Amino acid sequence: MKSKLAIIGIFFIAGLLFAAVFSYFTFEPEEAIEEPLAEQEVRLYFLNEKQYHLQEVSRVVPETEHLSGRIEQIVEELKVAPEEERLSTLLPEDLELRSVFFEADVIYIDFNEALIGAAEGSSGEMIFLYSIVNSLLANAPEDYKLVKFLVNGETVKTIGPYGEESGHISVEYPLGPRWKLVGSS
Amino acid sequence: MKKFTTGLILILFACMIFFPQAARSASLNLVDADGSLLGEIPTLRREGSLLLDLYNFFRALDFSVSWNEKTRRLEVEEEGTTFRFTPRSEHVLAGDNNLYLTGSPLVRSGKMYLAASTTAGLLNRHTKHSVIYNPDRQQMQLGVPREAEAADEDPIGRFLEDIPEVAGDEMLVVIDPGHGGRDPGAIGPGGLMEKEVILNMSLRLKKHIEDNYPRMKVILTREEDVFIPLQDRTRMANQNEADVFISIHANSGPSARATGFEIFTLSAEASDPSAQERADIENSVLRYEGYDSEELSDVAWILGQLRASVHTMESQAFSEMILSEMEAAITLSNRGMKQAPFFVLKDAMMPAVLFEAGFLSNPREEQRLQSDSYQKTVVEALGTALDKYMKQRFLK
């Protein structure tokens, strides 16, 4: 009888130990089992190297509370090249968005100095600038129609690397979207 | 005896009347703001223009002046900026910049002369000095505030008078070789620099036009490897009332696969997101021409708008002609015409396009761009397109 009780006791203790170890490895903090963050789909424009136009890519990202957060998110997403081989990112890794603000129908995006020289040539600058402009305006409320580039808080004439007037496209004024640069495949 | 005396008196009388006139044609009075004489500058008259002796003129203004025998240039320096004048050349080097004069200096008896009106324009635009040149009094007055010069004039009247007439049997083409000096533009994988290949192509185009199309006159914004600010390029075209402006470039892109020729015009929509911005752009052009935005009435503003929209249409028509000629002449792919707010085009007061002759970032096209036969074909196609445009627009 005693031995039976001892065996039951051993199984009982072993069961407790097993349960403790199992629960230790399978325990999840309370936060993680709360409701997952709401997600949203954003439309991003990347370079199609073969066709040399912009191509739309949809990506699901966590929802943000404010528009400025969504814009920061889009800029970061634009740095991540899509899996599709012929699509590539146009944004240099060291390009940092310093701040975002809004005035009337214009989204102001203030980058660090890596914006200067980030693209060259008429076509290169065009496809680079409008990949950002199109991506921001495609995901912002319709009230916003234009995007204004700043470098360290200042207006620059162009993004040319050899001085403000060595580039091609004027960024002195806000830019509207260029949907004609977008191809299907 | 009586007749002799009368004749002598008449001769003396005539001398009294004409002597001051004779004296005036020999020199220009340089005076300061209150009218006191700073110097009498020797002059020459050529084809109705008064030319002044640059050496003595700038000495009287306390500039440092010297003749550089090695470069054959007159060097005039003030506060760190050196202006270099070359005989018979409309280009003046000012530091890193290349300025364009409306006339070239002339050398006579070892002295360099330049039209007084051109010299006054150079001082007003590119130095701290403001001067008023009065050709009737043969006088240059210093230090008068620029507003006072135009205070009593009718700004709209001046604006209307300044619109170039679209007529005649000649067309003035301004060819703008992109980049230059400290700005090499795109650099190909083989090391070919855009500023060099494009200058070469532009010089060939100028010669091709001069040899084959006598009704076209050509101005190049640069003839050597110098940096010229983008706004100065269209300023040259505006000052000379050019009929068409063509900026020539070699393209570059993030992918080495990108290929083809392409043409760009200024987009009204992109550079014109709002009426206020358009007004700013138009007014900035007019400010350069000597008008204050406060002076501009709605009428002048609307005229500016109309002119801009006509130029947009003309630019597109000209672009189509270039694309069509290029497509017929070369096998490179036609990337078509696109619009964007190109900085070099935005101040042009005439039809203006930016032509990309191929991708330097593409190794095969880099080789093509520097080949003699490709350059020749591109130059001839551009010449044909310009000729067709001239015939369609001016010689109906």
Side-chain angles (χ1 to χ4, degrees), chain A:
Chain A
M1 184 65 188
K2 274 186 181 177
S3 63
K4 273 187 181 174
L5 280 171
I7 291 167
I8 290 167
I10 289 167
F11 271 103
F12 182 72
I13 292 165
L16 279 176
L17 279 171
F18 180 77
V21 171
F22 183 79
S23 64
Y24 177 79
F25 286 107
T26 57
F27 177 79
E28 288 182 13
E30 272 187 36
E31 294 82 3
I33 54 174
E34 268 192 353
E35 278 185 33
L37 282 174
E39 291 179 328
Q40 63 182 21
E41 195 176 72
V42 289
R43 290 151 61 198
L44 305 166
Y45 295 90
F46 290 94
L47 171 71
N48 180 321
E49 287 192 30
K50 200 172 176 191
Q51 302 296 329
Y52 205 78
H53 59 215
L54 292 174
Q55 190 172 320
E56 187 178 302
V57 171
S58 291
R59 214 175 262 177
V60 176
V61 294
E63 196 169 29
T64 52
E65 196 176 343
H66 301 291
L67 180 58
S68 56
R70 192 186 302 175
I71 284 165
E72 287 166 9
Q73 198 177 41
I74 289 167
V75 170
E76 286 307 308
E77 288 294 329
L78 280 173
K79 289 186 191 172
V80 183
E83 286 175 9
E84 208 177 322
E85 199 179 321
R86 62 187 166 180
L87 299 185
S88 63
T89 174
L90 289 154
L91 274 59
E93 274 183 22
D94 55 349
L95 185 69
E96 285 173 22
L97 187 59
R98 295 173 73 243
S99 65
V100 178
F101 57 97
F102 308 92
E103 198 176 285
D105 58 353
V106 184
I107 301 172
Y108 287 78
I109 43 172
D110 180 16
F111 285 105
N112 67 346
E113 55 286 346
L115 187 73
I116 301 299
E120 62 171 10
S122 298
S123 295
E125 283 181 29
M126 196 164 179
I127 207 128
F128 166 77
L129 291 169
Y130 288 108
S131 84
I132 299 174
V133 173
N134 283 3
S135 299
L136 296 189
L137 293 176
N139 298 290
E142 282 184 6
D143 300 346
Y144 295 101
K145 313 265 187 230
L146 303 161
V147 173
K148 171 78 174 85
F149 288 86
L150 298 170
V151 177
N152 290 329
E154 304 282 336
T155 287
V156 292
K157 291 176 178 174
T158 71
I159 61 166
Y162 306 103
E164 278 197 38
E165 296 204 18
S166 64
H168 299 81
I169 293 181
S170 169
V171 291
E172 269 191 311
Y173 296 91
L175 301 178
R178 269 286 176 283
W179 305 119
K180 281 184 185 173
L181 295 178
V182 180
S184 54
S185 61

Side-chain angles (χ1 to χ4, degrees), chain B residues 215-227:
Chain B
R215 283 175 163 180
M216 271 187 236
K217 302 289 171 229
V218 179
I219 292 175
L220 282 178
T221 57
R222 66 179 181 98
E223 292 183 356
E224 50 195 79
D225 184 17
V226 287
F227 177 78

